[in-house]
Amino acid sequence: MSSYVGVLVSDPWLQSQFTQVELRTLKSKFVSNKTQLERFTVGDLPPVFSKLKAFNGTIDEDEIKSVLDKSYSNADDEVDFETFLRAFLSVQARGVEKTGGSKGSSSFLKTSTTTVHHAINESEKASYVSHINNYLRDDPFLKSYLPIDPATNAFFDLVKDGVLLCKLINVAVPGTIDERAINTKKTLNPWERNENLTLGLNSAKAIGCTVVNIGTQDIAEGRPYLVLGLISQIIKIQMLADLNFKKTPSLFQLVDDTQDAEELMGLAPEKVLLKWMNFHLKKAGYEKQVTNFSSDVKDGEAYAYLLNALAPEHSTHVALETKDPTERAKKVLEQAEKLDCKRYLSPKDIVDGSANLNLAFVAQIFQHRNGLTVDDSKTSFAEMMTDDVETSREERCFRLWINSLGTATYVNNVFEDLRNGWVLLEVLDKVSPGSVNWKHANKPPIKMPFKKVENCNEVIKIGKELRFSLVNVAGNDIVQGNKKLLLAFLWQLMRYTMLQLLRNLRSHSQGKEITDVDILNWANRKVKRGGRTSQADSFRDKNLSSGMFFLELLSAVEPRVVNWSLVTNGETEEDKKLNATYIISVARKLGCSIFLLPEDIIEVNQKMMLILAASIMYWSLQQQSDTESTVSEDATDDGDANSVAGEISNLSIDGASESSPTVQDQELLTKEEKDEDEVDGENNKDA
C-alpha cells in the first residue's frame, strides 16, 4: 500500500461525511485539545469550535453551546474523536441552516457533503409545492391533504411521515418503490414513520439523489433546507428524465459524428438541455451562446427566440419588441402556456435568474415540444451506442452506488466519466481511506492523454494492492473505455466495500476475512433459525427467482418487516416480479442501501444476489453489535461458543487473504472468472 496513511473512523457513515483533508485537520485539533486538557469534555467544545475556520463569523460560542446542549445532556461527558466529529456535524448543520447557504456549489444532482447545494428561496418552495399539488392531487392517500398552501409551512408537516417522499419518488421514476411497502394510515407510530423515511431516503439514492449527510430524523423534524434540497433533486430527476438517448433517440440530431455522439452521452442532463437549447437558438438566428440557466436567460430574449422556433403557430414578435425585461418575461410565459407548460415560475424568477426554476422551465418546454426529428442518417449512432441489457443494468447499478458514496464528482455515465481515472481515485479513497497518494494524481480538466493514463495506472496499482484480480489489465484499458474491464473492476470494488463493512463490524473478533460462502451460510442459518424451510445452494440457485428465500431472510432478521399477506408463491413470472419489487422495497425500508432491479432477482444475477444478502447481513449484524448480550444470545441459538465468531468469523475475503479460496468460492465466482479470463485472452492477443 501507499506510505500515505489516512485518518480512519470505525463508523463508515461518519467516515463518509468528511474528506481526508477535513479529517486530518479535525484530528489535529482534537489531539491538540486532548493533550492540553486533563479531560476533554462536551463542555469544552464550544470555545474550541468557535475558533474553527469553518464556523468563523457564522455561529458564535453561545449558539454552539445551545446546539450541543440539545444533543448532549451531560456537559461533563468525555469526548472521543468520533463524538468530536458528530458534534462538529451538528454545529455545521446549524450554521448552514442559519445562513441558508452551503458548503460548496455544484450541479443540482451533486449536493455538497451537507446535502444542501444552495439557499432555496420562497419562490422555489412555491414552485415545488405547485409541482406536488399537480402530480399527486389524485393519489388515493394524499388527495385528502392536497392542495398544499405554499404560503404556509404545511408542506414541511406533511413530509414528516415519509409517505409524500415515497410517492414523489415514484412519480419521478415510476416503479422505484413498491407502494405496498409504504405504511399508509392516518396516524403512524414512530417505528412506522421511521420505516417510511428510511425507505424514502434509500430509494432517493437509488434514483440518483445525493443524500450523504441527511437522516430520517432530519425529515421527521421537517428541517426546511434539507427537505427542500432533497425534494429539489427528486423533481429535477423527473423533469430531466427524457434527456437520454434511450427515451429520446432523436437527441442524436444534435451531433455530427461518432466522437461528438460519445461526448454527448457523457454529459450531465442539464448540459444536454443547454446543447439542445443552443441547437434551436442557432437555427432561429440567435447570435449568443447560452451557457447557464441564470444570467444568460434573465433578459428573456433567448426564451422568445426558442419558443418562436419550436412553436411557429404561436409565434409573435411582441416579446422581442418589448424593452422591459419583466414585461418580456410575462409574454414568454404566456406563450409557453399555449404549449401546456405549467407556470412554475414567475416573470420575476426569470429576471432574477433563478437557476433551478429556469432549468425546470426549459426542461418542461423540452418535454412538450423538443422540435427534434428522427434523422435516418444518425441512426447508426444510436445502434452503435446501444449496450446489451445486462451491461446497461450493471452500469446503472455502479453509477448509483458511486454517487451514493458522496464523492466530489457526480457520475452521469460510468463509461465516459471514469475514463480519466479521477473519479475512480475518489471512490478508492472513500472505500479504502489513505490508499490514494494525491500527490501522484492529475486533477481534471485533463487535456494531455498521458495524464489520464497516469491516473488510471494508479487506480490499477491500488486495485492490485487490494488484491483485485487484474491480470494483464493496464490503466490505458480504462482510458480507452473497455467496458468489460471497467465493469469487472467496479464489481470487485463494490464487493470489497461490502465485505470491508462486514469485517469492520466484528473488529473485536480475531477470525479470518469474510467470503461469499460465509455470507451464504449466514443467510441459510438465519432462515433456518427463523423456522422457515427455504435454503440456497449458491447465489446462482435458480430457486432464488421466486423471491421466497430473501423474503424469509428479511423476516428472520426483522419479523415485523414482511407483510406475508402481500407475498405470492412466486411460481408465475408475474408473481416473481411482485415478490422481487416487494423484496427491494422491504430491504430499503429496513435500512439496506441497494441498487439492484427486480429483474436482477428474477433472473438470479449472481453479483446482485450476493450484494443483497450481504446488505441484509450488514444491517442484521449492526443490530447485534449494539450490546454484548445480543451477541451472546445469538451464540447460544447457534450452539456456538463464540457468538459473532459463529456467524462472521473464520472468514476470508476472496483474494484479500493469504489463504486460497475454497471450492465453494470458486464455484460462486466461476462466471466472473470466466469473463476475466476472456478479457485476459483478448489483452494477450492484442499484445
Side-chain angles (χ1 to χ4, degrees), residues 586-606:
V586 168
R588 288 176 180 154
K589 181 179 180 177
L590 196 64
C592 299
S593 182
I594 50 177
F595 305 97
L596 74 166
L597 292 170
E599 290 78 9
D600 292 315
I601 297 176
I602 297 168
E603 297 170 14
V604 192
N605 182 316
Q606 179 187 355

Side-chain angles (χ1 to χ4, degrees), residues 36-55:
Q36 292 175 17
L37 302 169
E38 289 185 11
R39 289 182 73 252
F40 190 22
T41 67
V42 172
D44 298 320
L45 291 176
V48 173
F49 282 166
S50 66
K51 295 174 184 176
L52 292 178
K53 188 176 180 180
F55 304 135

Side-chain angles (χ1 to χ4, degrees), residues 487-516:
L487 292 177
F489 183 89
L490 289 173
W491 160 240
Q492 293 184 81
L493 189 55
M494 176 186 270
R495 178 171 172 268
Y496 169 84
T497 305
M498 193 71 249
L499 297 182
Q500 285 297 102
L501 288 175
L502 289 170
R503 179 192 179 200
N504 290 340
L505 281 180
R506 45 99 142 153
S507 57
H508 59 281
S509 172
Q510 299 302 312
K512 299 176 184 177
E513 304 289 2
I514 295 175
T515 66
D516 303 355

Side-chain angles (χ1 to χ4, degrees), residues 373-399:
T373 57
V374 178
D375 187 343
D376 292 337
S377 65
K378 305 289 177 67
T379 54
S380 59
F381 294 161
E383 292 170 359
M384 184 185 64
M385 303 296 173
T386 301
D387 292 317
D388 63 78
V389 174
E390 185 176 353
T391 298
S392 296
R393 285 216 303 261
E394 288 194 13
E395 187 277 336
R396 170 197 168 277
C397 174
F398 294 136
R399 168 168 40 87

Side-chain angles (χ1 to χ4, degrees), residues 5 28 70 74 130 146 205 301 305-306 380 431 496 558:
V5 178
S28 174
K70 294 177 182 178
N74 189 355
S130 177
L146 302 178
K205 282 192 260 183
E301 282 190 13
Y305 274 95
L306 180 65
S380 59
V431 303
Y496 169 84
E558 178 49 69

